[in-house]
Amino acid sequence: MNTFGNIFRLTSFGESHGAGIGGIIDGCPAGIEVDMDFIQNELNRRRPGQSKITTPRNEADKVEFLSGIFEGKTTGTPIGFIIWNANQHSSDYDNMKALYRPSHADYTYQQKYGIRDHRGGGRSSARETIARCVAGALAKLVLNQLNVSITAYTSQVGGIKLEKLYSEYDLNTIEDTPVRCPDAAKAEEMITLINEVKSKGDTIGGVITCVIKGTPVGLGEPVFGKLHAALGNAMLSINAVKGFEYGDGFDVNHRGSEVNDEFYDKDGAIDTRTNHSGGIQGGISNGQDIYFRVAFKPVATILMQQHTVDQEGNEADLKARGRHDACVLPRAVPIVEAMAAMTILDYYLLNKAR
């Protein structure tokens, strides 16, 4: 399955060490002004080599649009695009061609298809997510017209985490640090930890928090097609994601009387005094801020010797080479935003179709 979405749909193609990564976006409304600088900036936020705490793979990640845009606006027809790969070091993977890397997709991919591209994981590589950032950027441009904003940030790296609710931070400062954390002091601690882990050839995981403001009331379905289920599906499709929670999530050590979101009349409009529900009730958006958290595991490629087996089951030792992230979170922030943007726009269009 290489297609995401119902009405606003992305079909992506390409492999990590192939000629390039691309996609076709269908269902994008016509007449949307395409801000190329904005789209390229979204890709720059995800690109490798952007700071000392990310992989040094040097890719310009310049997007080339092939169709669906005329005189700077979308035409309503399929939008084709491609990002050419230019800085692959495929030889870095020669020593693991016949080996199964621990906690990677190598074994399952080989068993399912009987063939796999060992260079950087091929199709299962996180490089595929650049196509999502292109589609997500276009979705954001549409959502901007609806006054919907989406902001994600790093809220935890290892044991270092932000303790306050998102509303207590200035989310405009996220890009001020390479780790993309709105708390400057915590950001420095996170960077120190990432550098320490990186120096040992190891990796570290963490959590990204995402906030969606301005979502209209009524997106999502009450049974199948719940909005939070769609967001969960989108987030869990991202490489290295291991968990998703929205609203209070797994913080269940409370009674109903403490966390029920009471309604009240706010200047002639219905509002809630609290937002423990995370902006979604009964699977449907209620107009409050939608906020959720996404857990990322430590990157599976570590520059340390590990034990494994080859394709015939023979015992072997493996030490990976190459350029890899010690912590994927800073580069995953725009990917989380992109998947959230595609989901919200898709469910907005579904609701319009009703």
Side-chain angles (χ1 to χ4, degrees):
M1 177 58 68
N2 299 294
T3 299
F4 176 84
N6 298 282
I7 294 180
F8 184 89
R9 298 188 303 276
L10 166 69
T11 299
S12 72
F13 63 85
E15 296 82 31
S16 175
H17 286 240
I21 301 290
I24 297 175
I25 302 165
D26 206 357
C28 184
I32 302 300
E33 291 191 14
V34 179
D35 185 337
M36 292 300 300
D37 290 337
F38 173 79
I39 293 174
Q40 190 58 52
N41 183 65
E42 291 295 278
L43 300 189
N44 293 343
R45 295 172 68 214
R46 182 218 158 274
R47 72 180 291 271
Q50 61 184 269
S51 73
K52 292 182 179 180
I53 61 172
T54 63
T55 171
R57 178 170 174 170
N58 186 21
E59 295 279 7
D61 285 351
K62 180 75 173 177
V63 62
E64 179 181 341
F65 284 99
L66 308 174
S67 64
I69 298 173
F70 179 67
E71 296 183 340
K73 293 183 179 181
T74 59
T75 62
T77 59
I79 299 172
F81 64 90
I82 192 164
I83 303 97
W84 299 104
N85 291 330
N87 192 235
Q88 311 102 311
H89 287 183
S90 298
S91 60
D92 288 342
Y93 298 88
D94 287 348
N95 68 319
M96 58 186 79
K97 183 175 182 179
L99 300 179
Y100 292 135
R101 295 171 296 170
S103 288
H104 279 77
D106 297 346
Y107 172 74
T108 51
Y109 204 109
Q110 183 77 39
Q111 293 301 305
K112 181 175 179 67
Y113 298 107
I115 185 173
R116 67 182 174 92
D117 183 348
H118 68 280
R119 303 166 305 167
R123 182 65 179 158
S124 60
S125 168
R127 181 145 181 78
E128 178 274 337
T129 59
I130 191 170
R132 308 179 190 210
C133 286
V134 174
L138 281 167
K140 280 186 176 183
L141 290 175
V142 181
L143 292 174
N144 285 345
Q145 298 190 11
L146 305 173
N147 295 317
V148 176
S149 66
I150 299 173
T151 307
Y153 61 91
T154 300
S155 55
Q156 181 173 348
V157 173
I160 302 169
K161 61 182 179 179
L162 304 187
E163 302 292 348
K164 298 184 232 178
L165 194 62
Y166 70 88
S167 55
E168 299 182 58
Y169 296 100
D170 182 0
L171 301 187
N172 293 316
T173 65
I174 291 167
E175 297 296 325
D176 292 350
T177 69
V179 77
R180 295 197 163 94
C181 172
D183 184 314
K186 289 287 187 180
E188 286 304 314
E189 292 182 41
M190 292 174 179
I191 293 169
T192 299
L193 176 58
I194 293 171
N195 285 329
E196 176 190 339
V197 167
K198 183 178 181 180
S199 69
K200 297 176 181 177
D202 214 338
T203 60
I204 191 78
V207 176
I208 288 175
T209 296
C210 186
V211 183
I212 306 173
K213 292 179 173 290
T215 305
V217 178
L219 304 193
E221 303 293 329
V223 184
F224 302 114
K226 288 179 168 66
L227 183 58
H228 58 268
L231 287 167
N233 173 63
M235 298 307 140
L236 290 165
S237 75
I238 301 172
N239 307 61
V241 169
K242 303 294 282 186
F244 169 84
E245 63 173 349
Y246 75 102
D248 282 359
F250 287 98
D251 183 15
V252 296
N253 190 27
H254 299 282
R255 301 188 179 190
S257 57
E258 298 175 296
V259 298
N260 278 353
D261 295 319
E262 295 183 350
F263 293 101
Y264 76 108
D265 186 307
K266 182 181 180 181
D267 301 324
I270 295 176
D271 203 347
T272 59
R273 299 186 188 281
T274 56
N275 188 21
H276 297 285
S277 300
I280 304 171
Q281 293 170 328
I284 302 171
S285 61
N286 66 1
Q288 300 296 315
D289 292 349
I290 295 173
Y291 63 96
F292 57 85
R293 291 161 296 281
V294 186
F296 285 78
K297 73 174 184 178
V299 177
T301 299
I302 61 175
L303 304 182
M304 305 168 70
Q305 185 163 300
Q306 300 179 87
H307 188 73
T308 187
V309 298
D310 63 19
Q311 293 176 178
E312 283 72 45
N314 300 309
E315 303 284 330
D317 288 321
L318 166 68
K319 186 172 183 179
R321 300 194 297 261
R323 304 157 298 171
H324 306 282
D325 287 288
C327 179
V328 75
L329 273 77
R331 294 178 58 215
V333 164
I335 302 169
V336 168
E337 291 181 359
M339 295 306 295
M342 282 193 283
T343 301
I344 295 298
L345 176 56
D346 189 34
Y347 269 62
Y348 173 81
L349 294 173
L350 282 169
N351 202 48
K352 292 289 285 185
R354 284 195 173 278

